[in-house]
Amino acid sequence: IMKIKNGCVGFHVAFVVPNSDTERMESFLKTHEEFMRETHHIDGDVEPVILCYAVLKSPELNNPLDPTSGETGNTLYGITEIYNGPEGAGAHMQLGQEREAMFSELVSLTNEYCVCGILGAPVIRAMN
């Protein structure tokens, strides 16, 4: 059963990272996943309950619709998280900010490489 429905609250952040800096991003993502596993729940009613946590990675193509167009020298990353509502999203943000080194690195990566940040926004279309 899909638990994501209209009204859930989520985050989606997209990054364009030069290939020379992907190790930095990978290091952050490892730390972030460990944080998520240590502090979030996948069921129950103790927030934050995470309904979706997904990280995507792909080379950036010169033409995203043409796989033969060649690569730009950048790597694309997308992080998507969905919570039941604002309580879960807020609990996530509070817990994240308590991990000062991780949060500081997120802010730094965001300032340098973020091309899209949808933060604490409602889900407006879902299969459920």
Side-chain angles (χ1 to χ4, degrees):
I1 296 176
M2 181 176 281
K3 296 180 179 182
I4 298 170
K5 57 188 181 299
N6 290 355
C8 288
V9 173
F11 301 89
H12 177 75
V13 185
F15 300 87
V16 177
V17 179
N19 289 346
S20 60
D21 243 2
T22 57
E23 283 185 30
R24 179 180 172 204
M25 183 61 127
E26 297 285 338
S27 176
F28 167 77
L29 291 170
K30 181 178 185 292
T31 299
H32 187 259
E33 181 182 358
E34 290 168 357
F35 155 72
M36 296 293 290
R37 290 183 182 281
E38 290 170 13
T39 60
H40 290 52
H41 309 278
I42 58 172
D43 53 27
D45 54 11
V46 176
E47 296 292 357
V49 175
I50 186 81
L51 304 179
C52 172
Y53 175 69
V55 177
L56 287 75
K57 175 184 176 183
S58 172
E60 182 182 45
L61 301 177
N62 289 306
N63 176 350
L65 301 177
D66 178 4
T68 66
S69 66
E71 299 179 10
T72 66
N74 295 320
T75 300
L76 306 176
Y77 291 90
I79 303 171
T80 302
E81 302 172 19
I82 308 288
Y83 299 88
N84 284 310
E87 300 81 10
H92 167 75
M93 290 301 295
Q94 180 179 345
L95 288 167
Q97 290 175 19
E98 290 173 4
R99 302 223 175 168
E100 293 178 23
M102 180 189 72
F103 189 74
S104 176
E105 179 66 348
L106 173 61
V107 170
S108 179
L109 288 165
T110 299
N111 286 335
E112 291 182 55
Y113 304 124
C114 179
V115 295
C116 173
I118 304 171
L119 306 177
V123 171
I124 63 166
R125 299 276 185 269
M127 297 293 289
N128 193 0

